[in-house]
Amino acid sequence: MALRGGAPFILSLFMFVSVLSSQCDCHPHPARAVSNHTARKVSDVVAEVAGYADVAKKIIDLAVFGAAQNRSYRRLADFTDTIGNRVSGSHNLELAIKYMYNAITQDGLDVHLEPVKIPHWVRGKESAEMIMPRAKSLAILGLGSSVGTPPEGIEAAVLVVESFEELKRRANEAVGKIVVFNQPFVSYGETVAYRAYGASEAAKVGAVASLIRSITPFSINSPHTGWQDYQDGVNHIPTACITVEDAELMWRMAQRGQKIVVRLTMEAKTLPDADSYNTVVEITGWQHPEQVVLLSGHLDSWDVGQGAMDDGGGAMISWEALSLIRDLGLRPRRTLRTVLWTAEEQGGVGAQQYYNLHKINISNFDLVMESDLGTFTPLGLQFTGNDAARKVMEEVVKLLAPINTTKLEPHGEGTDISPWMQAGVPGASFHVADSRYFWFHHSEGDTMTVQDPREMNLCSALWAVVAYVVADLEDMLPR
Ligand SMILES: *[C@@H]1O[C@H](CO)[C@@H](O)[C@H](O)[C@H]1NC(C)=O
Ligand SMILES: *[C@@H]1O[C@H](CO)[C@@H](O)[C@H](O)[C@H]1NC(C)=O
Ligand SMILES: *[C@@H]1O[C@H](CO)[C@@H](O)[C@H](O)[C@H]1NC(C)=O
Ligand SMILES: *[C@@H]1O[C@H](CO)[C@@H](O)[C@H](O)[C@H]1NC(C)=O
Ligand SMILES: [Zn+2]
């Protein structure tokens, strides 16, 4: 009895475990359920993805060599030359959203706007002069969210430090002073802590203002702005970035024991939150319209330069990818959704609200993509996802052989997609040849002059191929 009853039980248990371990409840293949299911599945996907070689080639040909050559660059030039920069809360940002809404509508794609409340900080007039040991004007850019100075400015002696540790050690020297941070550039991710927290750390030890060496590995005396965060319960003191050159100058003077005095004048203030929108463009999937591959870049910028590189380029290729797919008469199984975020520079405000509103459908988000590290020559795709998803993506990037970008790297990146990735949705971003990105980032130097049409063609092709193929595969990426 035990034997006769046992065999079917063991068989059905085996089938159950086999189906579970493949994580596939979507396409029951009875013949495979009792065989090496996981391995069959992988080889199926390899063949399935390889079947997209022709369509990938068509997309690449259109973007890089064909009728769409240089289109994303031309669109970016027209947009940034017409609108200029577009900081959160500004009239220019409103104009930028209207411009894109109209341009994408004229392109024949479905576009709609989703309202968001965004921060409204204005810099006003600002200046800084060195008074001792000699008269010299200092180029500055106030940091986003900084308070202003009294109208007559703040005049004070300077304490120059090279690190937070040095500031702590010399805390008793900081009282009543303007603290100048001359921290060396290590990497953006690491060094940006000085821009973000320099003012609060200086205020904690009694400073009256702080000036931060710009976060860049290269400078021609250009200040680079960005967001900064006051800490709760710490005095809000005015803060601005200065150039690498002026930070080093004051450090050398301090090393010689010279007394440095600076007058800082800033009108910066924060107004009530403003109305804005995330701009959403879609090609609806034919089979699973509720399932989504999301592509994105942000439309806002800082209030200097043209915001061409950060992040006009990322926004334009995310639109261009949908144009390319539409031009070829393609419609994937799942929905392709491009979101042009608002108020990224203020801490991903538009994207965070988008996540809060749409996370109810998180199980339908297949892949989230963001381009916000420059649209220079792409070298590969950065990807966050589990091993099974990575196996699929390794096959997908092989389709990019015609543009030599077949590398799949760890860690998809981006402020605006990070809430999704943290919640387990696979995420992707570019690895670009980005040695120039932080040279121009958040400065007057971020203009069309740093963009190259051929590089943008490659980015558009890569973005379109990855988004289209993932959106059209039989199954969503495993997670
Ligand atoms: C399943 O197939 C893979 C690849 O063909 C092989 O490496 C693995 O050993 C097989 N597993 C079983 C349990 O047969
Ligand atoms: C695209 O830009 C490149 C580089 O500027 C140029 O050589 C090429 O002729 C342009 N192609 C078109 C179609 O405008
Ligand atoms: C969630 O998905 C359903 C099905 O596609 C859709 O009707 C609904 O509007 C979505 N909700 C949100 C908040 O996105
Ligand atoms: C890819 O690399 C090959 C071989 O180095 C080269 O001939 C080709 O022009 C490259 N293609 C692109 C689009 O860069
Ligand atoms: Zn950006």
Side-chain angles (χ1 to χ4, degrees), residues 176-395:
K177 299 250 177 76
I178 296 176
V179 169
V180 168
F181 287 95
N182 179 41
Q183 77 290 337
F185 181 85
V186 180
S187 68
Y188 185 75
E190 194 169 319
T191 313
V192 76
Y194 285 88
R195 190 189 78 206
Y197 310 122
S200 285
E201 291 305 316
K204 281 181 195 166
V205 292
V208 291
S210 69
L211 296 173
I212 321 286
R213 169 175 157 151
S214 290
I215 312 302
T216 180
F218 176 81
S219 180
I220 46 169
N221 207 41
S222 49
H224 298 238
T225 188
W227 192 248
Q228 70 93 31
D229 274 313
Y230 288 127
Q231 287 168 38
D232 289 343
V234 178
N235 195 16
H236 293 192
I237 60 172
T239 183
C241 58
I242 55 175
T243 69
V244 171
E245 288 85 342
D246 284 338
E248 291 187 338
L249 169 70
M250 287 191 269
W251 182 78
R252 289 193 302 274
M253 288 170 164
Q255 293 303 106
R256 291 185 198 108
Q258 289 173 302
K259 179 172 181 183
I260 307 168
V261 175
V262 164
R263 183 174 12 189
L264 176 68
T265 311
M266 292 171 62
E267 289 180 352
K269 61 179 179 226
T270 298
L271 302 174
D273 283 355
D275 291 316
S276 189
Y277 303 91
N278 289 320
T279 304
V280 183
V281 193
E282 283 192 343
I283 294 177
T284 308
W286 66 265
Q287 188 175 37
H288 306 293
E290 74 289 357
Q291 295 176 5
V292 175
V293 168
L294 185 148
L295 306 86
S296 69
H298 64 88
L299 272 193
D300 66 300
S301 71
W302 279 103
D303 55 346
V304 289
Q306 288 187 300
M309 184 191 76
D310 184 10
D311 182 28
M316 287 303 152
I317 63 153
S318 297
W319 167 22
E320 179 69 17
L322 266 55
S323 297
L324 291 167
I325 289 158
R326 185 274 326 273
D327 288 352
L328 290 167
L330 300 169
R331 178 184 290 275
R333 286 176 203 274
R334 287 178 204 82
T335 293
L336 287 172
R337 180 180 298 164
T338 288
V339 186
L340 308 177
W341 313 110
T342 194
E344 185 276 345
E345 298 291 1
Q346 279 59 29
V349 175
Q352 186 62 49
Q353 179 180 305
Y354 185 88
Y355 176 74
N356 293 343
L357 279 177
H358 295 280
K359 69 183 174 195
I360 185 165
N361 284 334
I362 193 163
S363 62
N364 281 331
F365 281 73
D366 188 5
L367 173 68
V368 291
M369 300 160 66
E370 174 175 356
S371 167
D372 190 17
L373 291 168
T375 45
F376 303 129
T377 303
L379 302 176
L381 193 72
Q382 303 169 324
F383 179 72
T384 294
N386 68 19
D387 288 351
R390 182 164 291 280
K391 283 216 165 60
V392 177
M393 293 305 288
E394 273 164 5
E395 299 307 312

Side-chain angles (χ1 to χ4, degrees), residues 86-87 152 164 224 244:
R86 42 201 185 276
V87 72
E152 69 279 13
F164 289 135
H224 298 238
V244 171

Side-chain angles (χ1 to χ4, degrees), residues 33-78:
V34 289
S35 68
N36 191 334
H37 189 108
T38 304
R40 288 289 291 273
K41 199 63 202 164
V42 169
S43 65
D44 283 356
V45 174
V46 170
E48 189 191 1
V49 175
Y52 286 93
D54 283 349
V55 75
K57 183 88 173 32
K58 280 203 185 100
I59 293 171
I60 291 167
D61 281 345
L62 177 61
V64 179
F65 308 107
Q69 188 183 62
N70 302 356
R71 182 168 62 187
S72 58
Y73 175 90
R74 282 197 308 272
R75 285 172 169 177
L76 179 60
D78 193 69

